[in-house]
Amino acid sequence: MKSILIRFIIIFFLIMGAAKAEQFISIKNFTFELPEGYVIFNKNNLYDVYSHSNKDPLIKTQINLAKQRLKNQSIELLYNFSSHSLNNINILVFNENYKINKKKVLKQCKKILKIERKVGKRKVELKECRMHDQPLFADWSMYRENDSSFVEGVTTQQIIFLYKKKEYVITSGCWKKCDETKNDLFNLVKSIKF
């Protein structure tokens, strides 16, 4: 009886979690899911989001920073202002074709971190670097995490994967509730469909 109850509770939470997911369409021609509450900013919708935005000055500051970043880069930014007004996930896609495996993953993480340190002007260390198993269709996928080289108090969590000669770099920057943001990042990547 106890095992039936546990199964029911697990199934209930899985259904509730799935019911609360929201589907997004990337400007890079794929769909993905995130929990309700996320807002996507990209070059196609920023004005609409901005013009109907919250009056909170911290949120307005983030929207203005996003607006400037979107002018200079083909990027998508995702915020869940109800979770934390500064936590975000961003998506970048590059034309690339290289191979990462278990032997090369640490070297790649260190290479990325070296570039970040140079640009960000802060010396930080890797917290985690490993191969990742999602998305299943990717040629390879890796996960890396470190304190931000750009802003003190921020954690950078990143999944990079290669698919059809394109490198997908999906990064979260979090100030608080980093386990929640990490779960959202993992679920986003797992839900990608082309």
Side-chain angles (χ1 to χ4, degrees):
M1 184 68 163
K2 190 175 182 180
S3 66
I4 293 171
L5 180 61
I6 292 171
R7 285 186 203 152
F8 174 76
I9 292 170
I10 291 170
I11 291 169
F12 175 78
F13 281 114
L14 289 173
I15 290 169
M16 290 306 294
K20 293 184 178 184
E22 189 173 340
Q23 190 165 43
F24 293 90
I25 300 172
S26 170
I27 57 174
K28 302 298 184 178
N29 298 319
F30 62 88
T31 62
F32 60 91
E33 293 179 358
L34 280 170
E36 280 185 6
Y38 273 91
V39 178
I40 189 168
F41 298 100
N42 59 41
K43 64 182 181 182
N44 297 335
N45 74 344
L46 184 63
Y47 179 76
D48 293 335
V49 174
Y50 182 73
S51 65
H52 297 96
S53 68
N54 189 319
K55 302 293 182 208
D56 184 324
L58 193 55
I59 293 173
K60 283 194 174 263
T61 300
Q62 284 302 102
I63 291 171
N64 285 328
L65 290 171
K67 186 177 180 180
Q68 292 303 314
R69 195 163 175 201
L70 290 169
K71 283 182 183 177
N72 301 326
Q73 210 170 19
S74 179
I75 190 170
E76 291 179 284
L77 303 166
L78 296 134
Y79 287 91
N80 185 346
F81 294 119
S82 63
S83 170
H84 188 277
S85 54
L86 299 175
N87 289 2
N88 66 81
I89 297 174
N90 64 66
I91 301 169
L92 287 163
V93 181
F94 304 97
N95 291 322
E96 291 287 345
N97 192 18
Y98 62 98
K99 178 79 174 149
I100 297 295
N101 56 35
K102 286 182 181 181
K103 289 182 180 179
K104 294 180 182 179
V105 69
L106 185 58
K107 184 177 179 180
Q108 182 68 12
C109 287
K110 288 179 178 180
K111 178 180 169 185
I112 294 167
L113 191 58
K114 184 177 179 181
I115 293 167
E116 277 188 19
R117 285 178 184 155
K118 186 176 180 179
V119 175
K121 309 276 192 251
R122 290 187 69 236
K123 185 175 177 165
V124 295
E125 301 299 322
L126 280 171
K127 290 183 177 178
E128 188 175 352
C129 174
R130 62 177 169 78
M131 296 302 291
H132 191 62
D133 62 353
Q134 296 291 330
L136 294 174
F137 57 79
D139 298 338
W140 56 263
S141 181
M142 62 179 271
Y143 173 76
R144 58 178 289 278
E145 181 176 328
N146 55 268
D147 291 330
S148 172
S149 296
F150 301 96
V151 181
E152 191 171 345
V154 177
T155 300
T156 299
Q157 302 160 327
Q158 188 173 64
I159 294 177
I160 302 170
F161 67 91
L162 195 76
Y163 178 64
K164 292 190 175 179
K165 297 184 181 181
K166 291 195 182 289
E167 177 190 47
Y168 293 81
V169 180
I170 304 176
T171 308
S172 71
C174 67
W175 278 253
K176 295 192 176 171
K177 300 183 180 179
C178 290
D179 287 340
E180 184 180 305
T181 306
K182 185 176 185 176
N183 286 335
D184 291 347
L185 173 69
F186 283 12
N187 288 327
L188 181 161
V189 171
K190 187 176 183 177
S191 71
I192 291 175
K193 290 184 177 81
F194 284 89

